[in-house]
Amino acid sequence: MTLPSHPRIYDTIGSGYAGNRVPDARIAARIHAALGDAESVCNVGAGAGSYEPEDRTITAVEPSASMIAQRTAGSAIRAVAERLPFADGAFDAAMATLTIHHWLDAEAGLSEMRRIAPRCVLFTFDPAIQDSLWLIRDYFPSVIDFENNRHPPIDRVAEWIGADRIEAVPIPWDCTDGFQAAYWRRPEFYLDPRIRGSISTFAQRSEEDLAPGLRALEHDLQSGAWHERHADLLERDEMDFGYRLVVREG
């Protein structure tokens, strides 16, 4: 069974996000730099507040009560991206991090971001190259269709936001933010149900669906097959697994 993505999915799957999804300082620096000199920022699909810069005036928008309850830096307005309750040009910039794949209408949500702010910054991923991550390619190939169904192509995202540029965001081997590719050099972490519970790709799927891939991964780790197959990864400090900054300068 797979739970469908929708704006309030984190009321179901998001209870442990604040503890396992600690913003990575290196990724944060990229996002904050892309915001330029914007002083007022709307964080759309803000969740528990990851990557919100502390030196700007932040207005957070989040539809999930569970995620709002985990916020430690201010409150959030309960609303969805497709209907932002703000006037045109109300902010210097709008940001959204790893969220648009849960929106019911990404085109409408991105259009709303453009409406409320001239500068827009998305931290998202390119579903076309998701199988570059060994986890998906070797153990959970059914995830490919799942992600393609819920995440629009990156060129369409860029078109909808009116992007001026798309930047690759390599993931460091010791990334502190436990999203899907964060543990690419630490494969044993994916066997921990608490870790999987904070990765929506896995949290939205039943343990029965995941069981064959988890058994295969555990076997390969115990036998040494994974380390033999991916010895080259153990010498890399960062890797590109399709995570992208999509930036509209405004």
Side-chain angles (χ1 to χ4, degrees), residues 23-35 51 96-98 121-126 129 132-133 154 165-177 179-184 236-247:
D24 187 272
R26 293 152 291 192
I27 296 173
R30 296 284 302 275
I31 294 171
H32 298 173
L35 289 170
Y51 299 108
T97 63
L98 298 179
V121 177
L122 307 178
F123 176 44
T124 187
F125 61 91
D126 182 355
I129 58 175
S132 62
L133 177 61
I154 198 70
R165 67 181 189 274
I166 301 175
E167 302 177 4
V169 181
I171 306 305
W173 77 270
D174 56 349
C175 182
T176 64
D177 189 351
F179 49 73
Q180 183 174 287
Y183 306 104
W184 59 268
R236 301 290 298 270
D237 292 329
E238 62 180 22
M239 289 285 290
D240 179 7
F241 291 112
Y243 290 81
R244 300 289 181 262
L245 272 182
V246 184
V247 182

Side-chain angles (χ1 to χ4, degrees), residues 2-3 142-150 201 204-205:
T2 302
L3 298 173
S142 64
V143 165
I144 294 174
D145 286 341
F146 174 62
E147 296 291 13
N148 284 333
N149 286 334
R150 71 177 185 159
T201 302
Q204 289 179 249
R205 302 172 71 86

Side-chain angles (χ1 to χ4, degrees), residues 154-228:
I154 198 70
D155 58 346
R156 193 65 58 81
V157 171
E159 176 187 343
W160 291 338
I161 202 68
D164 294 294
R165 67 181 189 274
I166 301 175
E167 302 177 4
V169 181
I171 306 305
W173 77 270
D174 56 349
C175 182
T176 64
D177 189 351
F179 49 73
Q180 183 174 287
Y183 306 104
W184 59 268
R185 217 181 86 174
R186 298 168 288 172
E188 66 280 358
F189 279 66
Y190 293 112
L191 298 178
D192 186 337
R194 294 170 299 177
I195 295 294
R196 296 196 304 275
S198 295
I199 300 172
S200 69
T201 302
F202 298 116
Q204 289 179 249
R205 302 172 71 86
S206 70
E207 287 298 304
E208 182 180 1
D209 289 341
L210 297 175
L214 292 172
R215 284 195 298 267
L217 175 57
E218 184 173 23
H219 175 272
D220 287 353
L221 289 175
Q222 291 176 347
S223 69
W226 185 93
H227 292 83
E228 181 178 354

